[in-house]
């Protein structure tokens, strides 16, 4: 019997063939490997949220091994001396144990909290990018809705999460949450009693929040994120206008290898930044707050940043109580409006905006090219208006701290917030609108007359004029605006060659013909030259 | 990176024969892309193979990866050998978490930058164009799918046999309710059970009035609080000083003479005459706005401020809200002094304590 020689080099090929014979994956895999993604720095904001979410899952699983989600009263007897002998809930005691008695537990807790803050921040910034560039337009309305829902579900995930330690600060937040539920007309007290199983605080809320925080909400987030990414994949990413880019194509890089490698590297960078923050920046030091006691609170009790706008709206709300004189009388407390109605309106507007805009503009076509914010002044204005509204509310959520640090009257801060909330957003809209128009005008001016060179020429009659460098060669006259960056400095036209690379000594010869750094050259399809691997080109 | 070929290749609509031995690997890659409606229109190496620049980049990437290994090893060494158990004072254990974060951060950032440099600088730049094929689904396809589904509905014949549809609905609706019932039924809890929203721990038990006690459970004599001072008190019952009586914490204030006089007058007007004992008044500490403890008492103005949303209550005017979002007075606890000289609550609060709700009388 002759033994066949084992060929190591043929193993991958043979395995691949065997797999494909059974599962027929070659064609779909090739499509995946080849899929083209457009590239721009602003397309990476959503990834930060995705990567933070992955870190959240990893660190969160670690925390569940040590956290005890019950409100059973225990006497603390751990390493943290100042609280030894204090009666507290098992949830709080186990959070202290994670911080002090589990090796490496504190950094996991802090990374978990920081990545949650980063997750929400990335969602918001990503959402602004989508909004200002018009990426939510048909056919992507569904993905916009899913993205908005992700913010609100993330909000719930954050709130249920930071309530779990049952410390002095989070307990106060929970009490406010119960008051918000109580304020709902007709069913308020029933809702609260259902959630807390009776009167606040009861003995079960931490266990209920725990299962919501570690199972129900994450499952919902995973589902929404999966559909979100699936739709991006299916509908293909939007792109900026530019040479060769049309509504019907995608210009960019194939997914493998370069695009995927960049994503992988970026994940590591996000993960690394979260690790640094988790190690170096203290967050939510629950051991300083003590266990939750209904009669203890300190000044400067602020929630996590993404909840602060609701805190602010609550502070700014005037004491308008509505009493309905039927029977013993019924009450709609002032708390109802800023904490139930306002978020309800915000959710509604954010979900419906794509449809409202399409209706307003009577624009029902599909759009795959992005718009520069300046080109759609009313939308940009609305966006800045919304940001102003949000920032005023968020600042008002910390108005006691601002009043304290800057020696301002607290009541003056509240009134400034109330007035500012009404006056500043419309003002922001107007100013933004004007700025957009100005930027548009300047773009057209440069296209018509060229770039300012900074060279002043004196004419024979004594006048001084600035020499302009036209962007087109003579006979075409004016260039049309195509929705993309107009070069406005001579350097952008290649007046200055690119810097010679190398830190201590040059590592290459300077390039002879200066190249515009704006874009890699793209030829149009028809008169394209035959391209090979590229090395033969040079 | 050996994907070059000197051969000009076929172009146009015809697919290449990928088994042609003259084709380079890149030709096949490009052919694959073409079959996916992708044109690789620009593909250009960023560094010349074997050049100084390439060697430098390779060294950079390698240095990043080695730094990762170094930092990760440092992380492990610190994790295992650094003193980590909490000690009071400024011990080395305070550096444990920062050191872990720094080493882990450096390890991850370095591998990230290594990968990014590799991908962004060493790999060829490319520009590819892919067709979106949007709206490419012909109306015919939509039609066919629609007809197929309509056909299925036809075959089921719900329209011709309406009884089937109605009975199915009549059968399934209760099933849906069955699914929801245990959840809803299990969660429902009557908020008015034992009149719990209207009572606190100060409700007299067995005709015995409840003492006001401190956090440590000791009862309070009038002399314990100086004029202008205040103290948080709890019902002197079992677990009275705990979250089981989260509605009960009360602020006992010793007003100065003039303030007490004004306060009595205003109490009288509100029907709270006799709620004070001497110059002492007791108000619920639970804010009527959102339930935080309104705990910042300003002696000079007799204002009580809630730190959560800055509602301010004027104590001398029967704790009327004078600023901020709160719309209701803090309930007042009627107090007196018992035979032994300790404060007791004459009765429970006469109105519900804490945040407002719909059916609050």
């Amino acid at each position: 019997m002759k033994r066949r020689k084992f060929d190591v080099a043929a193993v991958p090929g043979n395995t691949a063939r065997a797999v494909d014979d059974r599962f027929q994956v070659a064609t779909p895999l090739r499509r995946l490997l080849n899929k083209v993604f457009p590239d721009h720095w602003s397309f990476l904001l959503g990834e930060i949220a995705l990567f933070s979410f992955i870190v959240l899952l990893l660190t969160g699983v670690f925390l569940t091994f040590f956290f005890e989600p019950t409100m059973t009263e225990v006497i603390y007897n751990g390493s943290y001396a100042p609280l030894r002998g204090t009666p507290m809930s098992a949830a709080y005691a186990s959070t202290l144990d994670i911080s002090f008695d589990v090796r490496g537990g504190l950094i996991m807790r802090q990374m978990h909290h920081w990545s949650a803050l980063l997750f929400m921040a990335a969602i918001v910034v990503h959402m602004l990018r989508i909004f200002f560039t018009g990426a939510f337009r048909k056919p992507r309305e569904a993905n916009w809705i899913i993205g908005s829902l992700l913010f609100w579900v993330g909000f719930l995930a954050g709130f249920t999460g930071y309530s779990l330690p049952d410390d002095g600060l989070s307990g106060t937040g929970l009490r406010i949450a119960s008051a918000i539920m109580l304020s709902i007309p007709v069913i308020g007290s029933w809702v609260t009693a259902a959630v807390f199983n009776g009167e606040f605080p009861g003995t079960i809320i931490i266990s209920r929040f725990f299962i919501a925080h570690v199972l129900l909400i994450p499952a919902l987030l995973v589902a929404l994120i999966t559909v979100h990414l699936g739709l991006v994949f299916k509908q293909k990413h939007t792109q900026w206008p530019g040479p060769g880019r049309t509504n019907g194509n995608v210009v960019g890089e194939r997914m493998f290898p370069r695009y995927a490698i960049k994503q992988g590297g970026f994940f590591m960078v996000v993960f690394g930044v979260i690790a640094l923050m988790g190690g170096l920046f203290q967050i939510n030091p629950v051991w300083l707050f003590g266990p939750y006691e209904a009669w203890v609170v300190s000044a400067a009790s602020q929630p996590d940043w993404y909840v602060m706008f609701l805190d602010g709206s609550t502070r700014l709300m005037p004491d308008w109580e509505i009493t309905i004189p039927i029977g013993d009388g019924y009450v709609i407390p002032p708390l109802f409006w800023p904490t139930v109605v306002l978020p309800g309106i915000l959710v509604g507007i954010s979900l419906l905006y794509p449809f409202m805009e399409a209706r307003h503009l009577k624009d029902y076509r599909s759009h795959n090219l992005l718009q520069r914010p300046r080109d759609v002044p009313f939308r940009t204005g609305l966006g800045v208006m919304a940001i102003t509204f949000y920032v005023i509310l968020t600042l008002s959520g910390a108005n006691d701290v601002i009043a304290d640090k800057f020696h301002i009257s607290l009541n003056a801060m509240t009134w400034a917030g109330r007035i500012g909330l009404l006056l500043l957003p419309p003002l922001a809209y107007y100013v933004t609108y004007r700025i957009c128009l100005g930027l548009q005008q300047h773009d057209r001016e440069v296209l018509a007359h060229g770039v300012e060179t900074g060279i002043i020429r004196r004419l024979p009659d004594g006048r001084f004029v600035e020499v302009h460098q036209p962007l087109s060669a003579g006979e075409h006259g004016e260039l049309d605006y195509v929705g993309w960056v107009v070069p406005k400095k001579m350097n952008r036209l290649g007046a200055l060659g690119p810097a010679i690379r190398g830190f201590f000594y040059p590592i290459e010869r300077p390039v002879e013909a200066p190249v515009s750094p704006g874009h890699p050259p793209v030829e149009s399809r028809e008169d394209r030259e035959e391209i090979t691997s590229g090395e033969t080109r040079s | 990176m050996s994907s070059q070929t000197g051969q000009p290749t076929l172009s146009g609509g015809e697919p290449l024969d990928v088994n042609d031995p003259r084709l380079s690997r890149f030709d096949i890659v490009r052919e694959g892309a073409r079959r996916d409606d992708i044109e690789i229109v620009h593909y250009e190496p960023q560094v010349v193979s074997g050049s100084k620049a390439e060697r430098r980049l390779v060294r950079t990437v390698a240095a990043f990866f080695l730094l990762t290994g170094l930092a990760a090893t440092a992380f492990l060494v610190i994790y295992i050998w650094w003193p980590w158990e909490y000690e009071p004072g400024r011990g080395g254990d305070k550096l444990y978490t920062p050191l872990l974060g720094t080493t882990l951060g450096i390890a991850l950032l370095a591998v990230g930058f290594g990968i990014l440099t590799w991908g962004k600088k060493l790999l060829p730049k490319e520009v590819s164009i892919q067709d979106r094929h949007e709206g490419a689904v012909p109306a015919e396809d939509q039609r066919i799918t629609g007809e197929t589904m309509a056909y299925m509905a036809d075959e089921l014949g719900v329209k011709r046999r309406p009884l089937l549809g109605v009975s199915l609905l009549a059968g399934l609706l209760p099933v849906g309710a069955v699914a929801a019932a245990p959840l809803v039924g299990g969660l429902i809890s009557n908020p008015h059970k034992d009149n719990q929203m209207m009572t606190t721990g100060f409700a007299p038990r067995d005709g015995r009035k409840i003492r006001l006690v401190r956090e440590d459970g000791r009862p309070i004599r009038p002399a314990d609080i100086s004029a202008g001072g205040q103290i948080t008190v709890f019902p002197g019952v079992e677990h009275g000083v705990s979250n089981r009586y989260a509605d009960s914490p009360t602020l006992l204030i010793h007003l100065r003479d003039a303030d007490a006089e004004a306060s009595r007058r205003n109490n009288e007007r509100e029907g709270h005459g006799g709620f004070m004992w001497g110059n002492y008044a007791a108000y619920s500490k639970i804010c009527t706005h959102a339930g935080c403890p309104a705990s910042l008492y300003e002696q000079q103005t007799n204002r009580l401020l809630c730190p959560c949303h800055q509602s301010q209550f004027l104590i001398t005017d029967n704790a009327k809200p004078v600023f901020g979002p709160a719309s209701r007075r803090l309930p007042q606890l009627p107090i007196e002094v018992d035979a032994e000289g300790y404060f007791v609550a004459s009765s429970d609060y006469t109105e519900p304590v804490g945040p407002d709700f719909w059916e609050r009388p």
Side-chain angles (χ1 to χ4, degrees):
Chain A
M1 199 172 88
K2 196 180 151 196
R3 200 176 158 150
R4 229 174 44 183
K5 209 178 153 217
F6 186 66
D7 185 2
V8 180
V11 169
N14 288 337
T15 316
R17 211 163 291 126
V19 169
D20 192 54
D21 283 347
R22 287 165 180 81
F23 305 112
Q24 287 85 39
V25 289
T27 314
L29 181 63
R30 188 196 68 212
R31 293 227 169 96
L32 182 73
L33 294 172
N34 275 338
K35 190 173 175 56
V36 172
F37 278 90
D39 213 357
H40 189 260
W41 64 266
S42 69
F43 299 167
L44 288 174
L45 300 169
E47 268 85 344
I48 300 178
L50 176 68
F51 300 153
S52 314
F53 183 68
I54 295 172
V55 179
L56 276 170
L57 291 181
L58 295 175
T59 51
V61 169
F62 175 90
L63 294 176
T64 58
F65 293 148
F66 304 97
F67 180 67
E68 198 186 333
T70 68
M71 295 169 86
T72 320
E73 195 173 279
V74 296
I75 304 290
Y76 179 68
N77 195 26
S79 303
Y80 185 61
L83 285 176
R84 237 178 254 161
T86 313
M88 57 180 65
S89 67
Y92 184 58
S94 61
T95 310
L96 291 178
D97 287 345
I98 291 173
S99 307
F100 293 109
D101 293 289
V102 175
R103 194 185 275 226
L106 182 58
I107 190 173
M108 286 295 188
R109 242 199 75 218
Q110 300 199 130
M111 278 174 70
H112 193 70
H113 205 134
W114 274 120
S115 45
L117 297 188
L118 196 59
F119 176 65
M120 294 302 287
I123 286 181
V124 169
V125 178
H126 173 58
M127 196 168 180
L128 292 178
R129 198 284 290 176
I130 300 289
F131 182 83
F132 284 119
T133 60
F136 56 81
R137 291 174 298 169
K138 190 183 170 189
R140 294 180 179 77
E141 305 98 327
N143 234 9
W144 166 265
I145 290 173
I146 292 170
S148 311
L149 290 179
L150 274 169
F151 174 85
W152 293 106
V153 179
F155 182 98
L156 280 184
F159 181 76
T160 51
Y162 78 64
S163 293
L164 287 181
D166 201 21
D167 57 285
L169 183 62
S170 75
T172 304
L174 212 47
R175 175 129 215 179
I176 297 173
S178 83
I180 291 170
M181 290 181 226
L182 267 181
S183 76
I184 303 171
V186 186
I187 56 168
S189 52
W190 289 85
V191 169
T192 317
V195 171
F196 288 87
N197 195 31
E199 226 183 349
F200 175 87
T203 52
I204 200 164
I205 187 66
I206 296 292
S207 316
R208 285 190 179 163
F209 267 32
F210 180 72
I211 200 64
H213 181 73
V214 304
L215 178 75
L216 303 177
I217 297 174
L220 190 55
L221 282 174
V222 168
L224 286 175
I225 290 172
T226 310
V227 179
H228 198 67
L229 295 180
L231 280 178
V232 171
F233 220 80
K234 173 73 181 61
Q235 298 182 319
K236 298 194 176 75
H237 206 287
T238 51
Q239 62 186 349
W240 287 105
R245 299 175 183 197
T246 69
N247 208 30
N249 69 10
V250 189
V251 178
E253 289 174 330
R254 286 166 305 149
M255 185 141 143
F256 286 86
R258 211 162 162 242
Y259 185 78
I261 283 178
K262 286 198 279 191
Q263 294 287 319
F266 189 45
F267 171 59
M268 287 299 165
V269 171
V270 171
F271 202 167
V273 169
I274 293 173
L276 283 180
M277 292 170 90
L280 297 176
F281 307 144
Q282 187 181 69
I283 186 157
N284 202 18
V286 287
W287 54 91
L288 299 180
F289 306 147
Y292 173 63
E293 292 163 314
W295 59 94
V296 179
V297 72
S298 58
S301 294
Q302 258 75 31
D304 275 358
W305 75 265
Y306 47 87
V307 185
M308 261 167 74
F309 78 101
L310 283 186
D311 208 28
S313 66
T314 311
R315 291 171 186 214
L316 297 187
M317 179 72 197
D319 56 344
W320 295 338
E321 179 182 295
I322 297 177
T323 321
I324 299 161
I326 309 173
D328 285 343
Y330 294 97
V331 184
I332 302 176
L335 186 60
F336 176 63
W337 308 106
T339 57
V340 182
V341 174
L342 176 77
I345 293 174
L346 293 182
V347 172
I349 292 180
S350 68
L351 294 189
L352 293 179
Y353 184 80
F355 305 101
M356 298 195 293
E357 190 190 291
R359 203 185 150 93
H360 173 66
L361 297 177
K362 299 191 177 57
D363 177 3
Y364 300 105
R365 284 164 302 150
S366 283
H367 296 280
N368 297 315
L369 287 176
L370 298 171
Q371 290 170 309
R372 299 176 80 197
R374 67 185 61 177
D375 292 335
V376 198
F378 87 92
R379 183 200 293 145
T380 309
L382 286 178
V384 176
M385 193 167 154
I387 293 175
T388 312
F389 186 79
Y390 186 90
V391 167
I392 292 173
L393 288 184
T394 302
L395 288 179
S396 296
N399 62 4
D400 54 333
V401 180
I402 297 172
D404 179 44
K405 297 291 175 210
F406 293 96
H407 303 288
I408 304 171
S409 150
L410 184 58
N411 297 9
M413 277 301 297
T414 305
W415 273 109
R418 285 173 178 171
I419 297 168
L421 195 63
L422 295 179
L423 288 188
L424 291 182
L427 189 68
Y429 178 87
Y430 178 76
V431 170
T432 310
Y433 203 100
R434 300 309 302 182
I435 290 175
C436 287
L437 290 187
L439 288 170
Q440 276 186 23
Q441 202 169 18
H442 190 235
D443 281 347
R444 304 305 191 277
E445 192 182 307
V446 170
L447 288 171
H449 303 295
V451 178
E452 296 171 354
T453 57
I455 301 168
I456 308 291
R457 177 183 286 163
R458 190 177 184 190
L459 299 183
D461 57 6
R463 280 183 299 150
F464 291 95
V465 291
E466 183 175 8
V467 178
H468 283 70
Q469 168 63 48
L471 292 177
S472 65
E475 51 198 272
H476 294 295
E478 273 185 39
L479 288 171
D480 285 331
Y481 180 70
V482 292
W484 186 232
V485 178
V486 176
K488 292 188 176 171
K489 293 231 164 70
M490 287 304 286
N491 291 1
R492 292 271 165 198
L493 301 179
L496 207 64
I500 297 165
R501 297 203 296 168
F503 195 80
F504 294 111
Y505 53 90
I507 55 165
E508 59 185 6
R509 270 179 300 135
V511 185
E512 271 142 38
V515 181
S516 162
H519 288 287
V522 177
E523 289 101 308
S524 65
R525 207 165 245 226
E526 286 71 39
D527 51 20
R528 169 173 52 81
E529 279 178 40
E530 191 50 44
I531 310 294
T532 57
S533 69
E535 281 167 43
T536 48
R537 279 164 65 89
S538 49
Chain B
M1 295 302 346
S2 59
S3 55
Q4 71 262 47
T5 169
Q7 306 265 339
T9 45
L10 297 165
S11 64
E14 303 159 47
L16 284 181
D17 173 15
V18 291
N19 292 319
D20 188 338
R22 287 172 307 162
L23 292 184
S24 72
R25 191 171 269 173
F26 182 75
D27 290 328
I28 296 173
V29 166
R30 214 161 40 109
E31 171 60 18
R34 185 166 298 165
R35 289 183 186 182
D36 292 333
D37 294 310
I38 296 164
E39 295 291 337
I40 303 175
V41 293
H42 182 83
Y43 197 80
E44 180 188 20
Q46 302 193 72
V47 285
V48 183
S49 188
S51 67
K52 231 178 178 178
E54 190 198 23
R55 283 200 303 276
R56 187 183 136 106
L57 280 169
V58 169
R59 276 201 306 274
T60 312
V61 175
F64 272 129
F65 289 159
L66 292 177
L67 178 61
T68 297
L70 211 64
T73 313
F75 177 92
L76 288 175
V77 169
I78 292 165
Y79 187 81
I80 296 169
W81 283 292
W82 195 274
W84 64 277
E85 280 167 318
Y86 178 80
E87 303 277 348
R90 300 162 165 261
D93 62 295
K94 303 290 179 299
L95 288 177
Y96 187 66
T97 299
L99 282 173
L100 288 186
T102 312
T103 46
L104 182 62
I106 291 175
L108 294 167
L109 284 175
V111 72
F113 287 135
I115 293 173
L116 284 174
T117 315
W118 191 343
K120 279 181 80 97
K121 303 281 180 180
L122 280 170
L123 264 59
K125 266 190 176 162
E126 77 166 74
V127 175
S128 300
I129 302 182
Q130 182 170 25
D131 261 340
R132 279 186 194 271
H133 293 297
E134 208 162 75
V137 180
E140 205 169 276
D141 266 11
Q142 294 178 346
R143 172 93 201 266
I144 291 173
T145 311
E147 293 293 337
T148 309
M149 285 159 76
Y151 174 74
M152 278 155 49
D154 285 350
E155 289 295 287
L156 287 171
V158 179
K159 259 190 192 152
R160 280 177 287 121
R161 311 169 189 129
L163 179 62
L164 282 179
V166 173
S167 57
L168 184 68
L169 214 62
L172 284 188
L173 273 183
V175 171
V178 164
L183 185 65
V184 176
L187 283 177
I188 280 183
S189 158
N190 185 356
H192 302 297
K193 194 172 60 188
D194 305 330
N195 203 20
Q196 59 184 354
M197 298 190 79
M198 312 294 169
T199 56
T200 70
F202 288 108
R205 295 188 175 186
D206 316 323
R208 206 165 44 82
K209 291 174 179 170
I210 304 297
R211 271 188 182 157
L212 275 52
V213 301
R214 297 163 196 267
E215 202 176 333
D216 54 14
R218 285 184 296 135
I220 302 148
R221 290 177 189 279
D224 293 348
I225 317 169
S226 53
Q230 41 92 23
I231 183 175
T232 303
V233 297
F234 305 86
V237 296
E238 205 189 350
H239 300 298
V241 192
S242 81
N243 289 339
R244 289 184 214 188
Y245 289 92
D247 277 350
S248 300
T250 299
L251 206 61
L252 180 60
I253 305 165
H254 185 177
L255 293 161
R256 281 173 296 249
D257 287 331
D259 298 335
E261 194 49 48
S263 199
R264 256 191 299 275
R265 251 195 336 270
N266 291 324
N267 281 354
E268 210 72 60
R269 202 189 58 224
E270 289 300 319
H272 286 183
F275 275 36
M276 286 173 68
W277 185 88
N279 288 354
Y280 297 82
Y283 289 97
S284 166
K285 200 177 177 181
I286 308 303
C287 184
T288 53
H289 174 238
C292 294
S295 51
L296 304 179
Y297 182 60
E298 202 183 40
Q299 277 194 20
Q300 297 306 315
T301 56
N302 288 309
R303 280 189 182 197
L304 189 63
L305 179 116
C306 175
C308 284
H309 305 106
Q310 285 88 45
S311 296
Q312 293 159 28
F313 302 90
L314 188 58
I315 291 300
T316 49
D317 192 3
N318 205 240
K320 179 179 141 185
V322 289
F323 190 82
S327 56
R328 188 160 71 94
R329 294 162 191 276
L330 292 174
Q332 187 175 12
L333 184 69
I335 50 170
E336 58 190 58
V337 169
D338 65 5
E340 289 171 61
Y342 293 114
F343 276 116
V344 293
S346 316
S347 76
D348 197 358
Y349 284 97
T350 51
E351 50 198 299
V353 163
D356 253 355
F357 51 96
W358 172 250
E359 60 268 41
R360 196 248 309 157

